Amino acid sequence: MDMNWSPADAAFRDEVRAFLDEKLTPDLRAAGTLRTSVYSDHEASMTWQAILHERGWAAPAWPVEYGGCDWSQSQHYIFSRESILAGAPSLSPMGIRMVSHAIMAFGTEEQKNFFLPGILDGSVFFCQGYSEPESGSDLASLSMAAVDDGDDLVVTGSKIWTTHASEANWIFCLVRTSRQERKQQGITFLLIDMNSPGIEVQNLVFASGEQVQAQVFFDGVRVPKKNVLGKIDDGWTVAKYLLVFERGGGAAAPALQVMAEQLGRDAASVTAPDGGPLSEYPAFAAKLTDLQVRAKILEVLEYRALAAMTSGKDPGSIASMLKILGTELSQEITTLSLEAAGPHGRVFQPHATRPGGPIFQYTPPTDGYVSGEPWQAVAPLHYFNDRAGSIYAGSNEIQRNILAKAALGL
């Protein structure tokens, strides 16, 4: 792939840089730069989405007729990379990157007209109701029930690992509407108003002290049938379509390239066993170079998925490949970052005890970072948060099974 920008691409890059310089406040840059997972601070993320929406850049990968941008693939890449380099907060993927595409493909005109503009301007903020306490990677085993009652479905059960459930005003859910021969049958895809009576959100506290995810309980929640996306009992079709965009609907390569480049700069400040900078120590430099090459390869593969997505097509099984490559590469980068941080990366201290050992909680130093650099102190948070990457959106073992069937015919 020729990565020499054309004059038009260079002009677009300068336009993006000028926009970011003007609109990114110090607080927004800090929220983007200091995030410890795929999610930025919620308030900062929504503020940034409003700014992007005003410019028409909130959902550039959407088809143009729904508010996306008529950009070339190189422009999509430039925008992603420049945003990350500038420290822009990430936007929540549940609406813009995930359920929006399912609504475009399966929604009624009424659903499209209501949800898509709201997702763009932030007035409709979705969380995802897929996993249950007994149904994770084997998602089709879910049991949260929805009983037919006239014009409504009455929902009872719970969902877990629901990111931003406390902030969301809508949740897209998979529910069990019937028991059939195959467990994938009898599942319905529902769009549920989080302000409905009978919904309770209980936040889950991470070891780091963060409260990003929650368990959501549904007790006789009435959902109008007009909020079914697709057909009753055929929600698995919608869910599989959405998962393609969750797994391969974003551009991970620019972020991973920036992470690897930043790691090289950070490692230059660390002393290696031979007395020189760690970034030039042969064993470390070889690992870092391998990660940087793999990030470039991922970029080429993502272009293929992006070309399909921006034209409204299903990227297909390539999404599973991108999910595997992207999450495992990210894990290796954060592992190497933790290795570079060395003893200064010890930020988890015993917070309390319980049978079986201590509970560990992250407590930021009250007087700044007493020893080491800020990147060294947060390296463990990046490392531990990244372990979830190969599990969410369908574990990477599941993705390899999908590829075995789709690509190899096994």
Side-chain angles (χ1 to χ4, degrees):
M1 180 175 56
D2 183 4
M3 288 305 297
N4 294 314
W5 304 126
S6 68
D9 288 333
F12 178 74
R13 178 197 60 199
D14 293 342
E15 178 187 358
V16 172
R17 286 179 177 175
F19 170 76
L20 295 171
D21 286 343
E22 177 186 357
K23 299 295 185 180
L24 271 177
T25 64
D27 287 345
L28 290 175
R29 290 180 190 270
T33 303
L34 298 178
R35 63 188 175 95
T36 59
S37 69
V38 297
Y39 301 101
S40 297
D41 172 76
H42 175 69
E43 294 301 324
S45 178
M46 297 307 294
T47 298
W48 184 235
Q49 180 173 329
I51 293 171
L52 290 173
H53 177 57
E54 183 180 13
R55 183 62 178 262
W57 289 356
W62 284 16
V64 174
E65 61 266 31
Y66 293 116
C69 298
D70 187 19
W71 288 351
S72 66
Q73 293 181 33
S74 58
Q75 287 176 313
H76 281 282
Y77 172 81
I78 289 169
F79 178 72
S80 295
R81 180 176 175 81
E82 293 298 329
S83 296
I84 295 162
L85 283 171
S90 59
L91 303 188
S92 175
M94 269 76 75
I96 286 177
R97 209 178 85 193
M98 293 162 56
V99 75
S100 58
H101 293 282
I103 292 172
M104 292 173 201
F106 297 94
T108 64
E109 287 304 310
E110 181 183 0
Q111 289 170 338
K112 293 176 186 178
N113 292 337
F114 174 78
F115 287 108
L116 296 179
I119 291 172
L120 273 182
D121 66 23
S123 60
V124 171
F125 186 77
F126 271 99
C127 57
Q128 180 185 33
Y130 272 20
S131 294
E132 298 180 6
E134 301 299 327
S135 299
S137 293
D138 184 14
L139 183 59
S141 66
L142 64 90
S143 61
M144 189 167 96
V147 179
D148 193 321
D149 187 18
D151 293 332
D152 298 334
L153 293 174
V154 181
V155 179
T156 300
S158 72
K159 297 292 181 178
I160 200 167
W161 311 124
T162 310
T163 304
H164 289 151
S166 295
E167 293 82 12
N169 51 15
W170 284 88
I171 181 171
F172 58 92
C173 268
L174 292 181
V175 297
R176 176 70 60 186
T177 43
S178 67
R179 294 283 179 181
Q180 300 185 27
E181 182 178 351
R182 297 178 64 246
K183 59 186 177 182
Q184 289 83 359
Q185 298 171 322
I187 292 174
T188 297
F189 195 111
L190 273 184
L191 307 174
I192 303 177
D193 187 339
M194 287 289 285
N195 294 313
S196 303
I199 295 179
E200 179 186 355
V201 176
Q202 293 185 4
N203 286 326
L204 302 173
V205 183
F206 291 2
S208 64
E210 298 169 286
Q211 298 185 42
V212 180
Q213 296 181 328
Q215 184 167 5
V216 185
F217 296 88
F218 300 80
D219 184 9
V221 178
R222 302 190 72 89
V223 183
K225 288 181 180 176
K226 68 177 183 179
N227 288 3
V228 171
L229 192 60
K231 299 178 181 178
I232 291 178
D233 287 343
D234 192 33
W236 192 249
T237 300
V238 183
K240 288 192 299 181
Y241 184 82
L242 181 146
L243 281 169
V244 167
F245 290 91
E246 180 177 1
R247 293 162 181 163
L256 295 175
Q257 290 171 6
V258 171
M259 285 173 60
E261 291 167 4
Q262 184 60 49
L263 175 54
R265 290 189 289 270
D266 292 337
S269 65
V270 177
T271 302
D274 63 1
L278 180 63
S279 58
E280 298 178 11
Y281 190 63
F284 183 89
K287 294 179 184 178
L288 182 58
T289 299
D290 175 70
L291 298 176
Q292 290 171 330
V293 170
R294 288 165 57 189
K296 294 297 290 183
I297 294 171
L298 180 63
E299 174 192 329
V300 176
L301 297 173
E302 284 186 341
Y303 270 13
R304 299 180 185 177
L306 183 62
M309 210 175 79
T310 53
S311 62
K313 297 178 181 179
D314 184 341
S317 60
I318 192 174
S320 292
M321 179 174 64
L322 293 177
K323 199 268 181 178
I324 295 169
L325 295 176
T327 55
E328 294 183 0
L329 178 56
S330 181
Q331 289 177 345
E332 292 188 42
I333 293 174
T334 55
T335 297
L336 191 61
S337 179
L338 188 62
E339 179 181 320
H344 296 303
R346 298 176 299 175
V347 298
F348 283 90
Q349 301 296 328
H351 181 68
T353 59
R354 62 180 176 184
I359 299 172
F360 289 89
Q361 178 167 327
Y362 171 65
T363 303
T366 56
D367 299 320
Y369 295 95
V370 178
S371 61
E373 298 295 327
W375 70 269
Q376 293 173 308
V378 299
L381 292 176
H382 285 288
Y383 173 85
F384 285 114
N385 276 328
D386 232 27
R387 296 314 98 184
S390 53
I391 300 173
Y392 60 59
S395 71
N396 285 8
E397 290 80 4
I398 295 293
Q399 305 315 309
R400 287 183 167 88
N401 287 343
I402 291 172
L403 288 173
K405 294 177 182 177
L408 303 178
L410 300 178

